[in-house]
Amino acid sequence: MLTRIDHIGIACFDLDETVEFYRATYGFEVLHTEANEEQGLREAMLRINGASDGGASYVQLLESTRDDSVIGKWLAKNGEGVHHIAFGTEDVDGDAEAVRGKGVRVLYDEPRRGSMGSRITFLHPKDCHGVLTELVTAAPQATPGH
Ligand code: V0V
Ligand code: CO
C-alpha cells in the first residue's frame, strides 16, 4: 500500500548551487548526499518532515554525472524542473507487481538500489498521465525515529 509522498525528484544543472537555493530560501538542510553510479547521478536529500508511520518526505535534488544518464538526457531536453514523484510503501515488490497487473509498465524486473539504501522502481510516465512515478521502500535503519 502506498502510504505517503516519499520525495519529489528535481533535476538541476548544479547540485551545490541548488542546495544553497533551498537552504537560503526555505531553510531546508541537507540530510544526506550520495553518488549513484548505476543511475549516473549525484543527489542531495532535503528532509521536509517526518510522518506518523515512521517515514519521511524529502526533496531529492538530482545532478547528472554523465551525459548519457537519465537525468543528463532529461536536462538537455527540458532544462531544470520536477523530474519525478515517489510514493512510499513498506512493500515495493508487492506494490510493483500489483501495478504491473493493472497494465502499467514497471521499468525494472526487480527493484534497484535507491537513495540511503532504499529499494526503488519506476512506472512509465506514458502510462501515468505524464508523470514519471517512483515506488520506494526505505531501508529500515533510514527510517527517522528508529
Ligand atoms: C521522459 N518522459 C517523461 C519523463 N522522461 N515524462 C514525464 N516525466 C519524465 N521524467 C517522456 C518524454 O517526454 C517522451 O515523451 C517519452 O517519455 C520518452 O522519453 P525519452 O526522452 O525518449 O526518454 P527515455 O524513453 O529514454 O526515458 C524515459 C524513462 C527514463 C522513463 C524510461 O527516464 C527512466 O528509465 N527513468 C527511470 C530511472 C530514473 O528516472 N532515474 C533518475 C532518478 P514524448 O516526447 O515521446 O511525448 S534515480 C532516483 O530517483 C533515485 C536513485 C532515488 O530516488 O533514490
Ligand atoms: Co527518486
Side-chain angles (χ1 to χ4, degrees):
M1 192 177 35
L2 309 178
T3 50
R4 61 197 164 78
I5 293 175
D6 185 276
H7 64 267
I8 298 179
I10 297 173
C12 60
F13 290 120
D14 185 317
L15 186 62
D16 296 338
E17 200 179 284
T18 311
V19 161
E20 176 54 21
F21 170 83
Y22 275 82
R23 193 200 61 73
T25 310
Y26 310 117
F28 295 151
E29 300 286 348
V30 174
L31 178 78
H32 175 84
T33 56
E34 73 180 72
N36 185 320
E37 195 50 48
E38 180 182 35
Q39 297 282 350
L41 58 81
R42 212 160 67 87
E43 55 148 78
M45 294 295 267
L46 316 183
R47 189 172 150 199
I48 310 306
N49 67 286
S52 58
D53 68 354
S57 296
Y58 304 88
V59 166
Q60 178 179 53
L61 301 177
L62 302 155
E63 176 191 76
S64 172
T65 52
R66 44 169 209 264
D67 290 346
D68 66 344
S69 71
V70 163
I71 296 298
K73 287 193 292 187
W74 192 86
L75 280 166
K77 190 170 165 185
N78 303 285
E80 298 184 309
V82 174
H83 179 258
H84 64 271
I85 64 166
F87 294 123
T89 167
E90 288 191 351
D91 180 15
V92 63
D93 301 85
D95 285 331
E97 275 318 298
V99 169
R100 199 192 302 273
K102 295 175 186 181
V104 173
R105 279 171 287 172
V106 178
L107 297 182
Y108 303 151
D109 289 339
E110 295 291 332
R112 296 186 185 174
R113 188 177 72 78
S115 185
M116 301 184 288
S118 60
R119 297 177 66 245
I120 63 171
T121 196
F122 288 89
L123 315 181
H124 200 287
K126 291 294 176 191
D127 295 349
C128 301
H129 297 267
V131 178
L132 176 58
T133 304
E134 178 183 339
L135 308 183
V136 51
T137 296
Q141 68 274 20
T143 307
H146 286 239

